[in-house]
PDB file of all heavy atoms in Angstrom:
ATOM      1  N   GLU A 103      -3.751  -4.370 -12.738  1.00 98.00           N
ATOM      2  CA  GLU A 103      -2.457  -4.576 -13.444  1.00 98.00           C
ATOM      3  C   GLU A 103      -2.381  -6.008 -13.993  1.00 98.00           C
ATOM      4  O   GLU A 103      -2.655  -6.969 -13.260  1.00 98.00           O
ATOM      5  CB  GLU A 103      -1.321  -4.324 -12.464  1.00 98.00           C
ATOM      6  CG  GLU A 103      -1.441  -3.037 -11.746  1.00 98.00           C
ATOM      7  CD  GLU A 103      -0.138  -2.512 -11.073  1.00 98.00           C
ATOM      8  OE1 GLU A 103       0.859  -3.226 -11.219  1.00 98.00           O
ATOM      9  OE2 GLU A 103      -0.142  -1.476 -10.524  1.00 98.00           O
ATOM     10  N   ASN A 148       3.024  -2.588 -12.607  1.00 98.00           N
ATOM     11  CA  ASN A 148       4.213  -1.987 -12.001  1.00 98.00           C
ATOM     12  C   ASN A 148       5.243  -3.026 -11.626  1.00 98.00           C
ATOM     13  O   ASN A 148       6.425  -2.777 -11.761  1.00 98.00           O
ATOM     14  CB  ASN A 148       3.798  -1.279 -10.664  1.00 98.00           C
ATOM     15  CG  ASN A 148       3.355   0.161 -10.904  1.00 98.00           C
ATOM     16  OD1 ASN A 148       4.135   1.000 -11.170  1.00 98.00           O
ATOM     17  ND2 ASN A 148       2.096   0.374 -10.823  1.00 98.00           N
ATOM     18  N   GLY A 150       5.450  -6.884  -8.951  1.00 98.00           N
ATOM     19  CA  GLY A 150       5.034  -8.213  -8.492  1.00 98.00           C
ATOM     20  C   GLY A 150       3.591  -8.476  -8.617  1.00 98.00           C
ATOM     21  O   GLY A 150       3.208  -9.587  -9.096  1.00 98.00           O
ATOM     22  N   LEU A 151       2.754  -7.546  -8.213  1.00 98.00           N
ATOM     23  CA  LEU A 151       1.301  -7.848  -8.197  1.00 98.00           C
ATOM     24  C   LEU A 151       0.757  -8.009  -9.653  1.00 98.00           C
ATOM     25  O   LEU A 151      -0.070  -8.924  -9.877  1.00 98.00           O
ATOM     26  CB  LEU A 151       0.583  -6.672  -7.499  1.00 98.00           C
ATOM     27  CG  LEU A 151      -0.919  -6.439  -7.578  1.00 98.00           C
ATOM     28  CD1 LEU A 151      -1.352  -5.755  -6.325  1.00 98.00           C
ATOM     29  CD2 LEU A 151      -1.276  -5.587  -8.760  1.00 98.00           C
ATOM     30  N   LEU A 154       2.228 -11.353 -11.104  1.00 99.00           N
ATOM     31  CA  LEU A 154       1.533 -12.505 -10.466  1.00 99.00           C
ATOM     32  C   LEU A 154       0.182 -12.771 -11.217  1.00 99.00           C
ATOM     33  O   LEU A 154      -0.045 -13.946 -11.511  1.00 99.00           O
ATOM     34  CB  LEU A 154       1.245 -12.199  -8.983  1.00 99.00           C
ATOM     35  CG  LEU A 154       0.563 -13.385  -8.259  1.00 99.00           C
ATOM     36  CD1 LEU A 154       1.669 -14.459  -7.979  1.00 99.00           C
ATOM     37  CD2 LEU A 154      -0.030 -12.894  -6.947  1.00 99.00           C
ATOM     38  N   TYR A 293      -0.990   4.109 -13.425  1.00 97.00           N
ATOM     39  CA  TYR A 293      -0.334   4.908 -12.360  1.00 97.00           C
ATOM     40  C   TYR A 293       1.018   4.152 -12.063  1.00 97.00           C
ATOM     41  O   TYR A 293       1.002   2.955 -11.785  1.00 97.00           O
ATOM     42  CB  TYR A 293      -1.217   4.976 -11.152  1.00 97.00           C
ATOM     43  CG  TYR A 293      -2.106   6.215 -11.133  1.00 97.00           C
ATOM     44  CD1 TYR A 293      -3.291   6.196 -11.846  1.00 97.00           C
ATOM     45  CD2 TYR A 293      -1.665   7.376 -10.484  1.00 97.00           C
ATOM     46  CE1 TYR A 293      -4.077   7.345 -11.942  1.00 97.00           C
ATOM     47  CE2 TYR A 293      -2.475   8.501 -10.519  1.00 97.00           C
ATOM     48  CZ  TYR A 293      -3.662   8.543 -11.193  1.00 97.00           C
ATOM     49  OH  TYR A 293      -4.369   9.609 -11.274  1.00 97.00           O
ATOM     50  N   SER A 295       3.032   4.029  -9.646  1.00 88.00           N
ATOM     51  CA  SER A 295       3.503   4.004  -8.294  1.00 88.00           C
ATOM     52  C   SER A 295       2.977   2.743  -7.628  1.00 88.00           C
ATOM     53  O   SER A 295       1.853   2.374  -7.784  1.00 88.00           O
ATOM     54  CB  SER A 295       2.923   5.210  -7.486  1.00 88.00           C
ATOM     55  OG  SER A 295       3.241   5.090  -6.132  1.00 88.00           O
ATOM     56  N   ASP A 296       3.856   2.009  -6.896  1.00 77.00           N
ATOM     57  CA  ASP A 296       3.333   0.912  -6.130  1.00 77.00           C
ATOM     58  C   ASP A 296       3.328   1.225  -4.678  1.00 77.00           C
ATOM     59  O   ASP A 296       3.007   0.358  -3.840  1.00 77.00           O
ATOM     60  CB  ASP A 296       4.086  -0.417  -6.427  1.00 77.00           C
ATOM     61  CG  ASP A 296       5.553  -0.273  -6.250  1.00 77.00           C
ATOM     62  OD1 ASP A 296       6.070   0.851  -6.066  1.00 77.00           O
ATOM     63  OD2 ASP A 296       6.213  -1.320  -6.305  1.00 77.00           O
ATOM     64  N   VAL A 297       3.611   2.510  -4.353  1.00 73.00           N
ATOM     65  CA  VAL A 297       3.243   3.037  -3.041  1.00 73.00           C
ATOM     66  C   VAL A 297       2.094   3.962  -3.338  1.00 73.00           C
ATOM     67  O   VAL A 297       1.947   4.328  -4.494  1.00 73.00           O
ATOM     68  CB  VAL A 297       4.392   3.801  -2.357  1.00 73.00           C
ATOM     69  CG1 VAL A 297       5.295   2.856  -1.585  1.00 73.00           C
ATOM     70  CG2 VAL A 297       5.189   4.570  -3.339  1.00 73.00           C
ATOM     71  N   LEU A 298       1.520   4.450  -2.323  1.00 69.00           N
ATOM     72  CA  LEU A 298       0.279   5.175  -2.727  1.00 69.00           C
ATOM     73  C   LEU A 298       0.445   6.584  -3.205  1.00 69.00           C
ATOM     74  O   LEU A 298       1.186   7.380  -2.698  1.00 69.00           O
ATOM     75  CB  LEU A 298      -0.737   5.122  -1.594  1.00 69.00           C
ATOM     76  CG  LEU A 298      -1.758   3.987  -1.804  1.00 69.00           C
ATOM     77  CD1 LEU A 298      -2.987   4.201  -0.885  1.00 69.00           C
ATOM     78  CD2 LEU A 298      -2.146   3.902  -3.273  1.00 69.00           C
ATOM     79  N   ARG A 305      -7.550   8.168 -10.502  1.00 97.00           N
ATOM     80  CA  ARG A 305      -7.287   6.804 -10.015  1.00 97.00           C
ATOM     81  C   ARG A 305      -8.593   6.105  -9.576  1.00 97.00           C
ATOM     82  O   ARG A 305      -8.865   4.968  -9.826  1.00 97.00           O
ATOM     83  CB  ARG A 305      -6.211   6.716  -9.003  1.00 97.00           C
ATOM     84  CG  ARG A 305      -6.066   5.425  -8.277  1.00 97.00           C
ATOM     85  CD  ARG A 305      -5.263   4.375  -9.156  1.00 97.00           C
ATOM     86  NE  ARG A 305      -5.179   3.117  -8.454  1.00 97.00           N
ATOM     87  CZ  ARG A 305      -4.440   2.077  -8.836  1.00 97.00           C
ATOM     88  NH1 ARG A 305      -3.702   2.132  -9.872  1.00 97.00           N
ATOM     89  NH2 ARG A 305      -4.406   0.991  -8.169  1.00 97.00           N
ATOM     90  N   GLU A 309     -10.417   2.730 -11.068  1.00 98.00           N
ATOM     91  CA  GLU A 309     -10.785   1.540 -10.286  1.00 98.00           C
ATOM     92  C   GLU A 309     -12.303   1.295 -10.437  1.00 98.00           C
ATOM     93  O   GLU A 309     -12.652   0.115 -10.640  1.00 98.00           O
ATOM     94  CB  GLU A 309     -10.404   1.779  -8.787  1.00 98.00           C
ATOM     95  CG  GLU A 309      -8.890   1.826  -8.558  1.00 98.00           C
ATOM     96  CD  GLU A 309      -8.422   1.993  -7.098  1.00 98.00           C
ATOM     97  OE1 GLU A 309      -9.377   2.113  -6.238  1.00 98.00           O
ATOM     98  OE2 GLU A 309      -7.262   1.928  -6.830  1.00 98.00           O
ATOM     99  N   HIS A 346      -7.548  -2.655  -4.959  1.00 98.00           N
ATOM    100  CA  HIS A 346      -7.788  -1.777  -6.101  1.00 98.00           C
ATOM    101  C   HIS A 346      -9.224  -2.011  -6.755  1.00 98.00           C
ATOM    102  O   HIS A 346      -9.821  -1.000  -7.175  1.00 98.00           O
ATOM    103  CB  HIS A 346      -6.665  -1.836  -7.113  1.00 98.00           C
ATOM    104  CG  HIS A 346      -5.295  -1.843  -6.538  1.00 98.00           C
ATOM    105  ND1 HIS A 346      -4.178  -2.372  -7.107  1.00 98.00           N
ATOM    106  CD2 HIS A 346      -4.847  -1.411  -5.349  1.00 98.00           C
ATOM    107  CE1 HIS A 346      -3.147  -2.298  -6.289  1.00 98.00           C
ATOM    108  NE2 HIS A 346      -3.539  -1.671  -5.194  1.00 98.00           N
ATOM    109  N   HIS A 382      -1.734  -7.790  -0.530  1.00 98.00           N
ATOM    110  CA  HIS A 382      -0.276  -7.881  -0.997  1.00 98.00           C
ATOM    111  C   HIS A 382       0.687  -7.028  -0.206  1.00 98.00           C
ATOM    112  O   HIS A 382       1.817  -6.955  -0.546  1.00 98.00           O
ATOM    113  CB  HIS A 382      -0.145  -7.535  -2.482  1.00 98.00           C
ATOM    114  CG  HIS A 382      -0.833  -8.374  -3.459  1.00 98.00           C
ATOM    115  ND1 HIS A 382      -0.209  -9.364  -4.050  1.00 98.00           N
ATOM    116  CD2 HIS A 382      -2.138  -8.334  -3.888  1.00 98.00           C
ATOM    117  CE1 HIS A 382      -1.146 -10.039  -4.891  1.00 98.00           C
ATOM    118  NE2 HIS A 382      -2.288  -9.373  -4.754  1.00 98.00           N
ATOM    119  N   GLU A 390      -4.996   1.377   0.827  1.00 95.00           N
ATOM    120  CA  GLU A 390      -5.857   2.321   0.080  1.00 95.00           C
ATOM    121  C   GLU A 390      -6.934   2.918   0.981  1.00 95.00           C
ATOM    122  O   GLU A 390      -7.637   2.232   1.701  1.00 95.00           O
ATOM    123  CB  GLU A 390      -6.551   1.637  -0.980  1.00 95.00           C
ATOM    124  CG  GLU A 390      -5.805   1.648  -2.378  1.00 95.00           C
ATOM    125  CD  GLU A 390      -6.751   1.324  -3.509  1.00 95.00           C
ATOM    126  OE1 GLU A 390      -7.316   0.213  -3.439  1.00 95.00           O
ATOM    127  OE2 GLU A 390      -6.844   2.121  -4.398  1.00 95.00           O
ATOM    128  N   VAL A 460       0.007 -13.704   0.741  1.00 98.00           N
ATOM    129  CA  VAL A 460       0.675 -14.295  -0.382  1.00 98.00           C
ATOM    130  C   VAL A 460       1.997 -15.115  -0.078  1.00 98.00           C
ATOM    131  O   VAL A 460       2.702 -15.542  -0.972  1.00 98.00           O
ATOM    132  CB  VAL A 460       1.067 -13.237  -1.493  1.00 98.00           C
ATOM    133  CG1 VAL A 460      -0.276 -12.747  -2.099  1.00 98.00           C
ATOM    134  CG2 VAL A 460       1.731 -12.019  -0.855  1.00 98.00           C
ATOM    135  N   ASN A 489       2.556 -17.448  -3.185  1.00 98.00           N
ATOM    136  CA  ASN A 489       2.725 -17.069  -4.591  1.00 98.00           C
ATOM    137  C   ASN A 489       3.523 -18.180  -5.337  1.00 98.00           C
ATOM    138  O   ASN A 489       4.158 -19.031  -4.744  1.00 98.00           O
ATOM    139  CB  ASN A 489       3.535 -15.771  -4.733  1.00 98.00           C
ATOM    140  CG  ASN A 489       2.615 -14.547  -4.436  1.00 98.00           C
ATOM    141  OD1 ASN A 489       3.109 -13.384  -4.376  1.00 98.00           O
ATOM    142  ND2 ASN A 489       1.322 -14.768  -4.418  1.00 98.00           N
ATOM    143  N   TYR A 578      12.237  -0.374   1.583  1.00 98.00           N
ATOM    144  CA  TYR A 578      12.140  -1.653   2.358  1.00 98.00           C
ATOM    145  C   TYR A 578      12.813  -2.791   1.659  1.00 98.00           C
ATOM    146  O   TYR A 578      13.200  -3.744   2.293  1.00 98.00           O
ATOM    147  CB  TYR A 578      10.642  -1.948   2.622  1.00 98.00           C
ATOM    148  CG  TYR A 578       9.886  -2.620   1.530  1.00 98.00           C
ATOM    149  CD1 TYR A 578      10.050  -3.980   1.354  1.00 98.00           C
ATOM    150  CD2 TYR A 578       9.061  -1.981   0.642  1.00 98.00           C
ATOM    151  CE1 TYR A 578       9.340  -4.694   0.341  1.00 98.00           C
ATOM    152  CE2 TYR A 578       8.292  -2.612  -0.318  1.00 98.00           C
ATOM    153  CZ  TYR A 578       8.512  -3.975  -0.505  1.00 98.00           C
ATOM    154  OH  TYR A 578       7.851  -4.645  -1.521  1.00 98.00           O
ATOM    155  N   GLU A 677       8.412  -7.568   3.031  1.00 98.00           N
ATOM    156  CA  GLU A 677       8.165  -8.037   1.677  1.00 98.00           C
ATOM    157  C   GLU A 677       7.082  -9.179   1.817  1.00 98.00           C
ATOM    158  O   GLU A 677       7.347 -10.215   2.330  1.00 98.00           O
ATOM    159  CB  GLU A 677       9.459  -8.606   1.017  1.00 98.00           C
ATOM    160  CG  GLU A 677       9.273  -8.987  -0.385  1.00 98.00           C
ATOM    161  CD  GLU A 677       9.161  -7.809  -1.337  1.00 98.00           C
ATOM    162  OE1 GLU A 677       8.054  -7.318  -1.558  1.00 98.00           O
ATOM    163  OE2 GLU A 677      10.201  -7.343  -1.887  1.00 98.00           O
ATOM    164  N   ALA A 678       5.921  -8.863   1.257  1.00 98.00           N
ATOM    165  CA  ALA A 678       4.813  -9.838   1.409  1.00 98.00           C
ATOM    166  C   ALA A 678       5.276 -11.237   0.978  1.00 98.00           C
ATOM    167  O   ALA A 678       5.048 -12.191   1.699  1.00 98.00           O
ATOM    168  CB  ALA A 678       3.550  -9.351   0.681  1.00 98.00           C
ATOM    169  N   SER A 679       5.776 -11.353  -0.221  1.00 98.00           N
ATOM    170  CA  SER A 679       6.223 -12.633  -0.738  1.00 98.00           C
ATOM    171  C   SER A 679       7.520 -12.523  -1.501  1.00 98.00           C
ATOM    172  O   SER A 679       8.521 -13.093  -1.184  1.00 98.00           O
ATOM    173  CB  SER A 679       5.082 -13.281  -1.573  1.00 98.00           C
ATOM    174  OG  SER A 679       5.725 -14.318  -2.378  1.00 98.00           O
ATOM    175  N   GLY A 680       7.462 -11.716  -2.594  1.00 98.00           N
ATOM    176  CA  GLY A 680       8.492 -11.753  -3.543  1.00 98.00           C
ATOM    177  C   GLY A 680       8.222 -12.829  -4.552  1.00 98.00           C
ATOM    178  O   GLY A 680       7.603 -13.885  -4.185  1.00 98.00           O
ATOM    179  N   THR A 681       8.522 -12.615  -5.860  1.00 98.00           N
ATOM    180  CA  THR A 681       8.352 -13.665  -6.823  1.00 98.00           C
ATOM    181  C   THR A 681       9.629 -13.711  -7.688  1.00 98.00           C
ATOM    182  O   THR A 681       9.909 -14.795  -8.225  1.00 98.00           O
ATOM    183  CB  THR A 681       7.154 -13.470  -7.753  1.00 98.00           C
ATOM    184  OG1 THR A 681       7.099 -12.111  -8.135  1.00 98.00           O
ATOM    185  CG2 THR A 681       5.859 -13.756  -7.006  1.00 98.00           C
TER     186      THR A 681
HETATM  187  C1  26Q B 918      -2.577   1.846  -5.497  1.00 87.63           C
HETATM  188  C2  26Q B 918      -3.377   2.968  -5.562  1.00 87.63           C
HETATM  189  C3  26Q B 918      -2.920   4.029  -6.342  1.00 87.63           C
HETATM  190  C4  26Q B 918      -1.784   3.941  -7.091  1.00 87.63           C
HETATM  191  C5  26Q B 918      -1.088   2.787  -7.010  1.00 87.63           C
HETATM  192  C6  26Q B 918      -1.494   1.698  -6.255  1.00 87.63           C
HETATM  193  C7  26Q B 918      -0.691   0.502  -6.198  1.00 87.63           C
HETATM  194  C8  26Q B 918      -0.229  -0.118  -7.373  1.00 87.63           C
HETATM  195  C9  26Q B 918       0.521  -1.353  -7.352  1.00 87.63           C
HETATM  196  C10 26Q B 918      -0.347  -0.109  -4.994  1.00 87.63           C
HETATM  197  C11 26Q B 918       0.425  -1.340  -4.946  1.00 87.63           C
HETATM  198  C12 26Q B 918       0.868  -1.887  -6.152  1.00 87.63           C
HETATM  199  C13 26Q B 918       1.686  -3.063  -6.216  1.00 87.63           C
HETATM  200  C14 26Q B 918       2.077  -3.837  -5.213  1.00 87.63           C
HETATM  201  C15 26Q B 918       2.851  -5.017  -5.369  1.00 87.63           C
HETATM  202  O1  26Q B 918       3.378  -5.292  -6.449  1.00 87.63           O
HETATM  203  N1  26Q B 918       3.050  -5.818  -4.311  1.00 87.63           N
HETATM  204  C16 26Q B 918       3.852  -6.988  -4.428  1.00 87.63           C
HETATM  205  O2  26Q B 918       3.025  -8.119  -4.770  1.00 87.63           O
HETATM  206  C17 26Q B 918       3.780  -9.283  -5.030  1.00 87.63           C
HETATM  207  C18 26Q B 918       2.765 -10.341  -5.482  1.00 87.63           C
HETATM  208  O3  26Q B 918       1.997 -10.816  -4.392  1.00 87.63           O
HETATM  209  C19 26Q B 918       4.515  -9.739  -3.821  1.00 87.63           C
HETATM  210  O4  26Q B 918       5.336 -10.827  -4.192  1.00 87.63           O
HETATM  211  C20 26Q B 918       5.419  -8.580  -3.273  1.00 87.63           C
HETATM  212  O5  26Q B 918       6.066  -8.946  -2.022  1.00 87.63           O
HETATM  213  C21 26Q B 918       4.562  -7.314  -3.058  1.00 87.63           C
HETATM  214  O6  26Q B 918       5.411  -6.188  -2.737  1.00 87.63           O
END
Side-chain angles (χ1 to χ4, degrees):
E103 311 198 358
N148 275 286
L151 167 152
L154 184 74
Y293 271 82
S295 172
D296 53 352
V297 274
L298 264 195
R305 170 76 184 191
E309 294 184 355
H346 316 155
H382 296 267
E390 269 196 304
V460 290
N489 283 168
Y578 84 79
E677 188 70 274
S679 163
T681 45

